Amino acid sequence: MSNILDKAKAWLTDTFDADTVNDVRRLIDTDQKVLEESFFQNLDFGTGGMRGIMGVGTNRINKYTLGKNTQGISNYMKSVFPNEDLKVVIAYDCRRNSKVFAHHVADVFSANGIQVYIFPELRPTPLLSYSVRHLGCQCGIMLTASHNPPEYNGYKVYWKDGGQLVPPEDKEIISEINALKFTDIDFNKNSELIEVLDDSVENTYLEKAVKNVNFNLSDDVKKALNITFTSLHGTSITTVPKLLEKAGYKNLQLVDAQSEPDPDFSTVKSPNPEEPEALEMAIELANEQNSDLAIGTDPDGDRLGIAVRNKENELVLLNGNQTMVLMTWYLLDKMKQNNALTDSHFVASTIVSTPLMRVLTEAYGVKYMESLTGFKWIAKLIKDNPELDYIGGGEESFGYMVGDFVRDKDANTAILLVCEMAAELKSQGASVYDQLIKIYKDHGFFKENLVSLVKHGLEGAEEIKAKMVELRNNPPKEIVGERVVLIEDYLTSQAKNLQSHETHPIDMPKSNVLIYYTENGIKVAARPSGTEPKIKFYISVNSNLKETSEFKSIDKELDSKIETIKKELGLTE
């Protein structure tokens, strides 16, 4: 505790503004627990950049932690791009302080002689990713905490390829940041180097999205699709309606009560389209309007949730794996119809996503590539394989990226792709739900479930660490009576075959992930979240679906198996 107190007292100097000093002094005097939480560590970069609770301290998002990051990035940019005109683009979401933080970040970059482009108001993350390459910037910053609770904010860093930071730049930048003191931050902005963007960048992004997802459907087919959309109080209200209008989808209903940006996300418990509750208002409106689809995005507009009509004409929320598989099928099938598939094409997903992605992709004779969790790794696959052509890909956490003009998950373009697919299927007398069952019949019925155990604060971090140690040291030998035959440990970069006792190297960057496979294809992965105080368990089971009439019974069998696995692993309350 003495070390924490020393760190806190360092924030009582005139390096920090009066409000910050007063807040720190109050914590020292009256709230030891919050003081400890605020100063026990420095916020780290995870799979989605830096995210944390807003407030004073080294373990909080504030002017100074963001300023120190930005000063470190400025120093690094000068060292690795010595003969270039340095440029950065900044965007921000609807969260409390996002705009203020964005301008603090702009001040520091400009004070270091770096040209800054900043959006005039909230905009979605994929537009920021696109803008990095479009404007010829070496770096991009997005102020967002995605779908985290309202008390959070965050700082995503993009590099010159438009993807988020990956090795070696991430560790080199972190070293640069860690070498700095808060006194090293230069907040003395150079206004001449800060340019507020007009709408031309956004317009070119929307035009490319329409061009990228255009399957020559007729106007009548598009008009026949009835769409309900909610931005869940976030940024995509600025782009999705415009994009669908440009693409010819006129039959769009908006959830007005959720269209206004709101940092408290006051109409939902969580603005996360992975949660069925988040789409309740959209589904209610969709039923009133007899919509074919109800779609929602998270606050920074990179993830999407989709509800489609089932056999009973009820709207049901698809999970991220199902949505990803459907979009990938549509892209592959359209390209196959047009004889456009080549040996250079590839599809990508992540190690914790459904195995059906590999099965489906390879059934079309297309190369399948896998990465660690987080879209920065998919962007890295594109960057590292310039001889290959990326078709599309995603991850189980409701993110998808169509083509490579954006280098992060992009709910805007993905929504347009879903609308194209749904409109065409409807014109053929089918539905998205019908097509999902057909994919299961043709390629295997894979079903997934995600369990997230939330562990807050210092004690929670220790619990998560202990759980991973236990899983590593005492792995399960059986899962629901099936022998575990393969264990992949991405921290040691080793895959061990428990039948042959052979060990093979894993050719990916090290990550704290464990994956167990059974003899009949059950897959269970465990990993601590890189952006939230959670440990996540990803469960995948599968079966054959011989007839579509058996869908419900097989679905129940797989659900039952998942519940048994959760009980065996102690993942139920």
Side-chain angles (χ1 to χ4, degrees):
M1 186 65 197
S2 62
N3 179 49
I4 288 171
L5 190 58
D6 289 342
K7 286 175 75 174
K9 284 181 176 177
W11 282 53
L12 299 178
T13 66
D14 59 7
T15 298
F16 302 90
D17 61 49
D19 288 342
T20 298
V21 170
N22 289 336
D23 286 345
V24 173
R25 186 171 284 122
R26 180 182 55 78
L27 292 181
I28 292 172
D29 293 342
T30 65
D31 202 331
Q32 294 296 308
K33 184 166 177 57
V34 174
L35 180 74
E36 185 176 337
E37 298 288 353
S38 301
F39 285 95
F40 84 90
Q41 66 177 7
N42 295 332
L43 275 179
D44 289 330
F45 281 92
T47 54
M50 176 187 269
R51 271 187 229 173
I53 294 169
M54 289 177 278
V56 296
T58 59
N59 191 37
R60 293 289 185 257
I61 294 287
N62 53 64
K63 171 182 176 180
Y64 299 99
T65 52
L66 297 183
K68 190 176 171 188
N69 289 346
T70 307
Q71 185 63 53
I73 292 169
S74 298
N75 295 350
Y76 184 75
M77 288 173 69
K78 290 176 185 177
S79 68
V80 297
F81 305 116
N83 301 312
E84 296 183 28
D85 292 331
L86 300 181
K87 296 185 283 186
V88 63
V89 57
I90 301 170
Y92 53 91
D93 70 4
C94 60
R95 287 177 177 271
R96 197 175 290 111
N97 298 320
S98 283
K99 185 172 185 176
V100 173
F101 287 153
H103 282 276
H104 285 320
V105 169
D107 292 350
V108 176
F109 277 125
S110 69
N112 283 273
I114 296 170
Q115 173 68 49
V116 176
Y117 303 105
I118 188 166
F119 282 90
E121 57 184 18
L122 74 168
R123 285 295 183 272
T125 292
L127 175 56
L128 183 279
S129 171
Y130 167 77
S131 301
V132 172
R133 288 197 303 151
H134 179 73
L135 293 169
C137 297
Q138 291 89 355
C139 179
I141 304 291
M142 181 74 197
L143 279 299
T144 181
S146 189
H147 57 272
N148 282 49
E151 64 269 23
Y152 281 76
N153 214 316
Y155 182 93
K156 288 184 179 180
V157 184
Y158 291 78
W159 215 232
K160 63 179 184 177
D161 67 318
Q164 289 186 55
L165 279 181
V166 291
E169 289 86 6
D170 57 353
K171 290 182 174 59
E172 291 170 357
I173 285 174
I174 290 167
S175 296
E176 191 78 48
I177 293 166
N178 290 342
L180 295 174
K181 300 182 178 69
F182 288 106
T183 51
D184 296 325
I185 307 168
D186 189 350
F187 283 110
N188 297 306
K189 71 175 179 180
N190 180 347
S191 298
E192 292 182 2
L193 291 177
I194 301 176
E195 179 182 332
V196 179
L197 292 167
D198 60 21
D199 58 7
S200 60
V201 176
E202 179 184 307
N203 287 339
T204 62
Y205 162 75
L206 295 173
E207 286 163 11
K208 287 207 172 188
V210 171
K211 185 179 177 183
N212 214 37
V213 186
N214 180 7
F215 296 104
N216 299 313
L217 304 184
S218 71
D219 289 342
D220 288 343
V221 166
K222 292 179 180 181
K223 285 175 186 172
L225 187 72
N226 190 340
I227 308 155
T228 292
F229 172 70
T230 175
S231 58
L232 295 177
H233 302 294
T235 60
S236 64
I237 194 66
T238 66
T239 49
V240 169
K242 286 186 231 175
L243 178 60
L244 292 177
E245 174 78 18
K246 275 180 179 284
Y249 289 94
K250 315 287 187 186
N251 200 352
L252 176 66
Q253 330 297 328
L254 298 178
V255 180
D256 291 335
Q258 295 178 329
S259 293
E260 191 66 30
D262 175 5
D264 294 320
F265 311 112
S266 50
T267 64
V268 291
K269 289 179 185 173
S270 168
N272 183 356
E274 296 179 60
E275 305 290 342
E277 181 272 337
L279 289 192
E280 276 182 4
M281 290 180 75
I283 288 172
E284 184 180 340
L285 178 62
N287 281 324
E288 287 174 12
Q289 300 292 328
N290 197 30
S291 295
D292 302 293
L293 301 172
I295 303 173
T297 57
D298 66 349
D300 69 321
D302 58 0
R303 298 172 196 250
L304 72 160
I306 302 164
V308 301
R309 294 203 177 271
N310 65 12
K311 294 284 193 184
E312 289 73 40
N313 203 37
E314 301 162 331
L315 282 165
V316 292
L317 181 65
L318 301 178
N319 65 41
N321 283 304
Q322 292 170 323
T323 307
M324 168 174 58
V325 163
L326 281 159
M327 287 191 276
T328 302
W329 162 78
Y330 190 63
L331 288 171
L332 290 170
D333 209 61
K334 297 304 287 185
M335 292 181 75
K336 182 181 178 182
Q337 288 175 30
N338 295 328
N339 295 314
L341 292 173
T342 69
D343 292 341
S344 67
H345 280 113
F346 79 101
V347 164
S349 189
T350 65
I351 57 174
V352 298
S353 297
T354 176
L356 182 53
M357 278 293 283
R358 180 186 293 276
V359 175
L360 174 70
T361 302
E362 292 180 350
Y364 278 86
V366 172
K367 185 178 180 64
Y368 173 78
M369 299 178 77
E370 217 161 60
S371 73
L372 295 176
T373 306
F375 251 83
K376 63 183 183 180
W377 300 112
I378 293 179
K380 189 174 189 296
L381 288 177
I382 295 170
K383 181 174 71 172
D384 291 347
N385 296 277
E387 76 285 1
L388 298 180
D389 298 312
Y390 172 80
I391 295 173
E395 55 184 350
E396 50 70 43
S397 55
F398 290 64
Y400 202 84
M401 186 170 81
V402 187
D404 63 2
F405 77 105
V406 172
R407 298 295 174 89
D408 203 354
K409 51 188 176 287
D410 181 359
N412 299 288
T413 315
I415 286 170
L416 183 53
L417 178 62
V418 168
C419 290
E420 292 275 303
M421 172 176 58
E424 183 167 0
L425 287 168
K426 185 177 182 180
S427 73
Q428 297 167 351
S431 71
V432 173
Y433 197 80
D434 291 336
Q435 182 56 42
L436 180 63
I437 296 173
K438 186 176 186 304
I439 290 170
Y440 289 154
K441 185 169 177 284
D442 292 344
H443 303 286
F445 191 167
F446 289 77
K447 186 157 193 176
E448 283 73 34
N449 188 267
L450 171 65
V451 180
S452 294
L453 303 180
V454 179
K455 305 289 182 182
H456 288 292
L458 180 58
E459 291 176 9
E462 291 301 320
E463 282 185 59
I464 290 171
K465 197 179 294 182
K467 184 68 174 175
M468 290 302 293
V469 169
E470 179 194 339
L471 288 167
R472 197 163 267 114
N473 293 341
N474 300 294
K477 293 181 173 60
E478 287 188 348
I479 298 174
V480 289
E482 296 182 20
R483 285 179 303 162
V484 173
V485 295
L486 179 67
I487 301 175
E488 294 176 340
D489 188 337
Y490 288 80
L491 197 58
T492 62
S493 300
Q494 296 290 319
K496 185 176 182 181
N497 186 313
L498 301 185
Q499 291 177 306
S500 66
H501 302 289
E502 293 177 334
T503 301
H504 302 284
I506 297 173
D507 185 22
M508 285 190 195
K510 291 184 185 297
S511 183
N512 193 12
V513 182
L514 287 165
I515 304 181
Y516 309 105
Y517 299 87
T518 71
E519 55 194 331
N520 293 326
I522 291 172
K523 174 184 175 184
V524 177
R527 64 175 280 270
S529 170
T531 55
E532 300 171 276
K534 292 179 179 179
I535 182 169
K536 295 184 175 183
F537 292 85
Y538 307 80
I539 301 167
S540 177
V541 296
N542 66 85
S543 182
N544 290 323
L545 181 63
K546 294 176 182 175
E547 300 295 336
T548 55
S549 58
E550 297 175 353
F551 172 74
K552 282 190 175 180
S553 61
I554 300 293
D555 190 42
K556 284 182 181 175
E557 285 177 21
L558 294 177
D559 276 339
S560 177
K561 186 175 279 192
I562 286 169
E563 288 307 309
T564 304
I565 292 170
K566 285 157 73 169
K567 285 175 187 170
E568 283 189 7
L569 295 177
L571 305 180
T572 53
E573 294 181 357

